[in-house]
Amino acid sequence: MKKVAAFFLFYLSAQVTFSQSNTTPAYKNSKLPVATRVAHLLSLMTVEEKAGQLNQVNGGAFTGPAANDPGQQAKMKMIQAGKVGSMLNVTGVAETKVLQTIAVEQSRLGIPLLFAYDVIHGYKTIFPIPLADACAWDPELSRQAAAIAAKEASAEGLHWTFAPMMDISRDPRWGRVMEGAGEDPFLGAQIAAARVKGFQGNFGEENVLATVKHFAVYGAVEAGREYNHVNVDRYTAWNVHLPPYKAAVQAGAATLMNSFNVFEAVPASANKYLVTDVLKKQWGFKGILVSDWNSFGETMTHGYAADSADVALKVFDAGSMIDMETRVMVSQIPGLVKKGKISMQALNEAVARILSIKFKIGLFDDPYRNCNPERQAQHVFTPAHRELSRKAGQRSIVLLKNNEQVLPLQSQQKIALVGYLAASTDDVFDFWVAAAKAPAYNPVTVQEGLKHAGANVVFAKGFDENNRTTQALTAEAVAAAAQADVVLVNIGLSGKLAGEDRSLAQPEIPDAQIEILKALRQTGKKIVALVSAGRPLVLTKAEPYCDAIVYTWILGTEHGHAVADVLFGRYNPSAKTVMSFPYAVGQIPVYYNHMNTSRPDPTDGMGNWYSRYRDIPNEPLYAFGYGLSYTSFAYSQFSLSSQQLKKGQQVKATVTITNTGKVAGEEIVQLYIRDMVANRIRPVAELKGFQKIALQPGESKKVSFAIDAALLSYYNELGQLQLEPGEIKISVGGSSDKLLSAMLQYE
Ligand code: NOJ
């Protein structure tokens, strides 16, 4: 007791001395410019403390292999010693406050920690998976979803999200296609910028730092197998993979994450070309770079670095900075500096970037700014947030087929709802559901959504969580169908099969589900398939048994409500695919912006010897940019304001779109180009613009796109934009496979 009192007295007298002598260090003076504060703090830091800023430590659940965990006590000691700069996987006001208190009040210089977390599609209010969200082709909506995720995450102690993921994905075998915006670099770039702005806002207390990941070209893992080799040339990297990352950097992204893969046979974390030449020099990135989970350490597994010191030197020399969970920076940098292998100036430059962000978001002035219990109580999982999630869900659902207008459903129709997935809370939620844990944050199932909509529904499981059916399950489903006017069958794959480490060699509808579809078809009832999945699945076997196909993806908290809204026509679907849906697995990768071949088709003069499969079509089952509405749209009067484009000038492409159906609807009007002859071969089509318009029945609207040389240009291997004189095909339409075209002469 005496001891405590003595400590308290000492503490009080220390406070008095401190304020009397007025010795507030310059770096703690909020009136001074950030650069001055950073310089002062750096001048006080030991090399060990500087290396500590490059050390990111896991505090909670593991989101990678747990090889290096020293235990909670040891981590607290590291924080006290100033050897931790940031943490991941610690959430909540109380939890972050405990650790921040140790950093701020018990470490020598009191440098606050940054708390980071994977807030991928919402924090507690979960939004559609990013791939689905991109299908709305609505960057403003993507921005709003990210802003709400930031508001909730920041109210629970976090400063930093490891999102948006912006890897171009052409291979649905890869589980992580769910996290990105699909196969197109132009759309990907727009959405990247929107998500960054949504998360970061103006760096206020309701915002979080965004992380553009995974830098770079992670989406090109061979054969879609997770963590696999990547073999992409610079020309392809610049034109296909780098544009979204670049757009995100230009939108002001504060941080980027290294990817696990290699680029040009050098691990991305240690890749000087990517990190220093492209990111820092060419794009002028001034922010922070964080490794992926142990991606520094994995440079050894790649066979690129020999030991921890070699790793630290190689990644540091490449320009990388923060080490997530390998601990090579904190353990090796001091020694490397002492040996003269890393200069203090270079170390200061890296650490200054991290400190600058901490100053910029006000952490030195109020380290507990995100530890406010009132905000935590009021800003999370609110009705307004759920409402936006529902709206985003409606706009993410893609109507792939609707024969004889079987949809929308009429309210009096008797519905048989078949399929385990329609009643599962788990399987339409994961992957990456941040802090939205069951049961408090369970999503609305399709079964519940239909019930809340007042539908007359009988449910039959049809198949189980392991995609197995039995005679009894089939009989029950058929009996339910026999009593119904229409049958809804929720097929697809569990969300648990989407995401990191969820590669599938056969992204297809499981056999048992096909069997159920066949049995239901025999009842003669109209069959509507609702497909939930985190990736485009091969639907070729299922399609003939379905009158309608509604691709519902994984929509988050409001999943079932959004699905019911679309089924009953309370929202007329408007989404369009952002990845091509393969006809068969053997066709993968299949994407719309492929190169022309030397023998593209029978009209090329080579007769029957052309680039094709003998057993399946070349075309995907559903093309990029495709999606139906409950109304129909006609495209007419496509024209260019001039057939010639000169440098520095613009040409306008204009088209008229008419709603030729009976209900109001929205259409996503797409602009594509094709550079017919260039110094490098160019894709057969490239998206270069889109607009979403709303039309009443019978209404027409003109849509125009401005075209200039910059829009038509492409990157060479050095990352320079170029465009040679020649013919460019300009096309518009509602899907990449159905376009009106005209020729434009450049110069
Ligand atoms: C590994 C994943 O690749 C990355 O996307 C994620 O942000 C980190 N783990 C942290 O959880």
Side-chain angles (χ1 to χ4, degrees), residues 63-64 88-89 118 162 176 179 213-214 218 257 260 292-293 324 432 500:
T63 46
L88 78 154
N89 295 335
D118 289 288
F162 295 137
R176 301 199 82 165
E179 287 176 58
K213 70 186 193 186
H214 305 81
Y218 183 29
M257 184 184 286
F260 289 122
D292 202 342
W293 184 288
M324 183 197 293
W432 297 126
E500 186 180 351

Side-chain angles (χ1 to χ4, degrees), residues 86-242:
S86 52
M87 297 194 75
L88 78 154
N89 295 335
V90 182
T91 61
V93 161
E95 294 79 353
T96 52
K97 192 161 185 189
V98 168
L99 296 165
Q100 192 69 299
T101 308
I102 298 175
V104 172
E105 290 174 26
Q106 297 175 17
S107 76
R108 192 176 73 90
L109 294 166
I111 303 175
L113 297 165
L114 283 169
F115 291 101
Y117 197 47
D118 289 288
V119 183
I120 308 294
H121 53 118
Y123 181 73
K124 276 186 173 152
T125 307
I126 300 300
F127 284 80
I129 55 167
L131 183 66
D133 167 272
C135 292
W137 296 56
D138 188 343
E140 172 53 20
L141 191 57
S142 303
R143 186 197 65 76
Q144 289 172 16
I148 286 179
K151 188 170 174 177
E152 293 195 356
S154 63
E156 294 225 346
L158 296 164
H159 310 117
W160 186 3
T161 174
F162 295 137
M165 184 275 225
M166 278 300 144
D167 304 319
I168 292 293
S169 314
R170 293 171 156 184
D171 192 330
R173 289 172 298 185
W174 191 44
R176 301 199 82 165
V177 304
M178 66 152 284
E179 287 176 58
E183 73 191 34
D184 185 67
F186 181 87
L187 180 63
Q190 312 280 314
I191 293 189
R195 288 186 181 149
V196 166
K197 287 181 186 151
F199 285 128
Q200 294 189 164
N202 55 7
F203 297 99
E205 67 169 20
E206 291 186 1
N207 306 129
V208 290
L209 304 170
T211 307
V212 180
K213 70 186 193 186
H214 305 81
F215 195 66
V217 201
Y218 183 29
V221 282
E222 278 180 357
R225 205 182 77 213
E226 185 66 299
Y227 314 127
N228 204 3
H229 187 68
V230 162
N231 188 6
V232 165
D233 57 70
R234 285 192 191 191
Y235 173 64
T236 310
W238 274 102
N239 286 288
V240 177
H241 297 277
L242 295 181

Side-chain angles (χ1 to χ4, degrees), residues 242-314:
L242 295 181
Y245 310 120
K246 184 178 180 188
V249 169
Q250 285 173 341
T255 86
L256 260 88
M257 184 184 286
N258 305 112
S259 54
F260 289 122
N261 56 281
V262 301
F263 181 70
E264 297 178 324
V266 176
S269 298
N271 196 304
K272 204 170 205 153
Y273 175 68
L274 286 179
V275 176
T276 296
D277 298 351
V278 173
L279 181 63
K280 291 187 182 167
K281 291 195 181 149
Q282 255 174 284
W283 297 350
F285 177 68
K286 299 273 182 286
I288 305 178
L289 220 90
V290 59
S291 79
D292 202 342
W293 184 288
N294 193 33
S295 71
F296 285 179
E298 288 172 21
T299 59
M300 288 191 277
T301 347
H302 275 298
Y304 185 75
D307 53 31
S308 298
D310 199 23
V311 173
L313 188 58
K314 282 180 171 152

Side-chain angles (χ1 to χ4, degrees), residues 570-581:
R570 281 198 300 256
Y571 180 75
N572 183 357
S574 61
K576 307 263 188 181
T577 58
V578 294
M579 281 184 80
S580 308
F581 277 62

Side-chain angles (χ1 to χ4, degrees), residues 23 60 64 98 153 163 209 221 243 392 420 428 437 474 483 488 519 521 551 576 587 590 601 620 653 677 698 736:
T23 53
V98 168
L209 304 170
V221 282
Y420 156 82
V428 292
K437 303 294 181 233
T474 309
Q483 303 298 314
L488 306 181
R521 187 77 189 164
Y551 218 80
K576 307 263 188 181
Q587 213 185 34
V590 56
D601 58 56
V677 179
S736 66

